[in-house]
C-alpha cells in the first residue's frame, strides 16, 4: 500500500541530507529515498562516500573523512525525525498532484509514496575511465576533483586525464601544489576553449602527452604510477605519478526523471528562482542542477534552499 507523505527527498548526498534536516525540523516528516549500498559509485551518501579527507568543508578545523561527514549529516537528519528508505526510486509520476514515486524494494504495483512535494537531489557522477582498480584507488591517489584533493599532492608529480575545459582548469589549479602536472589526452588536439589552451601552454609546470589513454594503474595501497598507451603507435610508457585526476566530464543522475521535468541538453535539471523546477511542487538541489560549482558546501546550501522552498510551497498550496 502507498504511504502518503508531505515530502519525499530522492538522493542522500549533502544536498538531500541538508534538505532532510531542514524539512524534518519544519515538522514535514520527510522520507529520504537514500539509494542502495550495492554499488561502489552510486551508494547512499553520494560522491563524498568515495572521498577521504575533506579539508574545505567549513567547521572542521582539522578536516573530516567523507563517509564520516555524511554519516553525521544522516544522524542529524534522523535526530529530527527524517525517515530513510534504503532503496532507489525506480519510477516517478509528476503529471498530477500529489506526485507518485515507486521504489526498487516495494511490493505490488501501487506507488511506494504519494507525496505532496518532491525534492530531487540525486547528484551527478564523474565519468571514469573504466579501467582496473579505478574505484579502489579513488581517495588513494586517484581523484575526480582538484579543488577537493589538489592540496594533498604538494611537490608530487601528477597527471590529469582529459582535454576539455575541466581538465585544463584542474591542471592549472594543480600546478599551484604539484611539482609537475602532465595532461594526458586521447587526441592530438584539445577540446578546451582557446583561452584555457593558451593559459595551459604558457604554464611551465604543465606538459602534455597526446593521442594517449591511461590503461593501467599501479601501486599497492596508493597510486605509484600509470601505464599510458599511445593510441596511434600502440606503445606503452610508464609514468611514475602519485596522483591521477580524471577530468573527462560529469553526468547528472537524471534518467529517472526524463520526460517528467525540464532538463538542459546534457540532462541537468533546470531550476529557476531558488530550487524551483517547471513542475510546481517539485524542487531540485545539489549537483543534479549545478554543473558549475559541484562542492559539498554548495550542494548543502542548495539543499537548505530546497527545504525552505518546499515549506513555503506547501503552506501556499494549503491556503
Ligand atoms: P568535456 O566533455 O568538454 O570534455 C571531456 C574531455 O574528456 C574531452 O577532451 C574528451 O576527449 C575527454 N574524454 C571523454 N571521455 C574520455 C575517456 N573515456 N578517456 C579519455 N578521455 C576522455 O567535459 P568538461 O568537464 O571538460 O566540460 C564540461 C562543460 O563545462 C564544457 O561545456 C566546458 O566548456 C564547461 N567548463 C567550463 C569551464 C570554464 O569555462 N572555466 C571549466 C570547466 C568546464 P575528446 O576531446 O576526444 O572528446
Amino acid at each position: 500500500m502507498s504511504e502518503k507523505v508531505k515530502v519525499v527527498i530522492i538522493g542522500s548526498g549533502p544536498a538531500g541530507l541538508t534538505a532532510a534536516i531542514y524539512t524534518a525540523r519544519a515538522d514535514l516528516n520527510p522520507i529520504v529515498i537514500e539509494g542502495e549500498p550495492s554499488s561502489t559509485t552510486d551508494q547512499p551518501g553520494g560522491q563524498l562516500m568515495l572521498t577521504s579527507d575533506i579539508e574545505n568543508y567549513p567547521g572542521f578545523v582539522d578536516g573530516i573523512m567523507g563517509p564520516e561527514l555524511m554519516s553525521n549529516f544522516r544522524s542529524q537528519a534522523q535526530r529530527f525525525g527524517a525517515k530513510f528508505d534504503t532503496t532507489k526510486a525506480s519510477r516517478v509520476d509528476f503529471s498530477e498532484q500529489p506526485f507518485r514515486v515507486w521504489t526498487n524494494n516495494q511490493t505490488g504495483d501501487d506507488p511506494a509514496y504519494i507525496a505532496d512535494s518532491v525534492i530531487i537531489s540525486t547528484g551527478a557522477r564523474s565519468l571514469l575511465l573504466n579501467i582496473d582498480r579505478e574505484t579502489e584507488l579513488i581517495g588513494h591517489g586517484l581523484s575526480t576533483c582538484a579543488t577537493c584533493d589538489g592540496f594533498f599532492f604538494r611537490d608530487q608529480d601528477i597527471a590529469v586525464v582529459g582535454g576539455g575545459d575541466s581538465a585544463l582548469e584542474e591542471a592549472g589549479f594543480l600546478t599551484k601544489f604539484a611539482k609537475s602536472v602532465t595532461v594526458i589526452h586521447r587526441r592530438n588536439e584539445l577540446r578546451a576553449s582557446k583561452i584555457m589552451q593558451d593559459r595551459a601552454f604558457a604554464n611551465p609546470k604543465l606538459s602534455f602527452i597526446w593521442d594517449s589513454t591511461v590503461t593501467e594503474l599501479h601501486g599497492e595501497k596508493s597510486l605509484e604510477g600509470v601505464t599510458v598507451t599511445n593510441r596511434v603507435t600502440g606503445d606503452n610508457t610508464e609514468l611514475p605519478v602519485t596522483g591521477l585526476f580524471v577530468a573527462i566530464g560529469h553526468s547528472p543522475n537524471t534518467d529517472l526523471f526524463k520526460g517528467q521535468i525540464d532538463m538542459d541538453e546534457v540532462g541537468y535539471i533546470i531550476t529557476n528562482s531558488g530550487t524551483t523546477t517547471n513542475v510546481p511542487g517539485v524542487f531540485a538541489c545539489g549537483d543534479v542542477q549545478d554543473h558549475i560549482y559541484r562542492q559539498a558546501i554548495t550542494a548543502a546550501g542548495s539543499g537548505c534552499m530546497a527545504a525552505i522552498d518546499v515549506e513555503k510551497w506547501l503552506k501556499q498550496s494549503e491556503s
Side-chain angles (χ1 to χ4, degrees):
M1 219 181 66
S2 309
E3 186 176 342
K4 194 149 183 349
V5 292
K6 286 188 185 144
V7 55
V8 162
I9 298 169
I10 308 176
S12 61
L17 293 181
T18 303
I21 293 168
Y22 274 75
T23 48
R25 286 192 83 245
D27 280 342
L28 297 177
N29 305 315
I31 291 280
V32 184
I33 302 176
E34 65 175 343
E36 285 163 359
S38 53
S39 151
T40 43
T41 53
D42 193 15
Q43 70 279 284
Q47 296 181 84
L48 288 196
M49 299 301 284
L50 299 173
T51 313
S52 49
D53 285 312
I54 299 172
E55 293 191 326
N56 55 5
Y57 198 90
F60 297 93
V61 180
D62 300 317
I64 184 166
M65 301 299 273
E68 190 187 349
L69 181 62
M70 294 328 294
S71 163
N72 288 351
F73 270 54
R74 192 179 187 279
S75 304
Q76 195 175 351
Q78 249 172 342
R79 180 156 86 87
F80 296 112
K83 297 233 163 54
F84 288 83
D85 194 352
T86 310
T87 183
K88 279 188 182 176
S90 55
R91 180 153 69 100
V92 296
D93 184 351
F94 297 159
S95 62
E96 56 182 0
Q97 292 169 13
F99 307 113
R100 294 181 298 160
V101 180
W102 287 260
T103 63
N104 275 352
N105 70 354
Q106 68 178 79
T107 46
D109 293 337
D110 288 341
Y113 300 104
I114 295 182
D116 294 333
S117 64
V118 173
I119 294 177
I120 300 173
S121 49
T122 45
R125 65 186 71 212
S126 300
L127 299 177
L128 291 174
L129 300 169
N130 283 325
I131 55 174
D132 279 354
R133 307 199 51 223
E134 197 173 17
T135 38
E136 173 194 333
L137 285 170
I138 287 179
H140 303 280
L142 201 135
S143 171
T144 54
C145 176
T147 319
C148 320
D149 298 333
F151 185 78
F152 302 117
F153 295 88
R154 200 171 279 282
D155 295 326
Q156 299 181 32
D157 294 310
I158 61 178
V160 174
V161 183
D165 281 329
S166 293
L168 295 195
E169 189 167 89
E170 302 234 323
F173 177 77
L174 290 166
T175 57
K176 289 190 205 162
F177 310 100
K179 194 178 354 161
S180 75
V181 179
T182 306
V183 175
I184 303 165
H185 183 37
R186 64 182 177 183
R187 293 186 295 135
N188 64 2
E189 189 183 20
L190 294 167
R191 174 178 298 277
S193 53
K194 174 84 170 55
I195 185 166
M196 298 290 278
Q197 295 198 27
D198 290 346
R199 260 186 231 152
F201 292 138
N203 187 330
K205 274 190 173 179
L206 266 186
S207 59
F208 290 82
I209 298 180
W210 302 106
D211 290 320
S212 299
T213 50
V214 171
T215 47
E216 276 179 48
L217 304 170
H218 308 293
E220 279 300 309
K221 289 196 174 132
S222 63
L223 189 76
E224 287 166 17
V226 300
T227 301
V228 178
T229 304
N230 186 298
R231 300 171 80 212
V232 179
T233 62
D235 291 346
N236 287 333
T237 316
E238 302 303 317
L239 198 64
V241 288
T242 47
L244 184 73
F245 286 78
V246 179
I248 60 173
H250 289 82
S251 179
N253 300 319
T254 51
D255 284 354
L256 180 65
F257 310 107
K258 281 198 177 126
Q260 300 275 338
I261 201 158
D262 283 354
M263 298 177 192
D264 69 12
E265 64 286 356
V266 284
Y268 285 89
I269 293 175
I270 297 172
T271 49
N272 291 302
S273 64
T275 61
T276 310
T277 69
N278 67 308
V279 181
V282 178
F283 300 84
C285 55
D287 288 12
V288 76
Q289 51 84 60
D290 165 29
H291 55 87
I292 299 173
Y293 301 105
R294 295 192 185 116
Q295 300 299 300
I297 184 68
T298 50
S302 81
C304 161
M305 289 162 64
I308 292 172
D309 289 343
V310 158
E311 202 184 342
K312 263 196 209 145
W313 188 82
L314 287 173
K315 241 185 221 145
Q316 269 166 18
S317 47
E318 273 164 20
S319 57

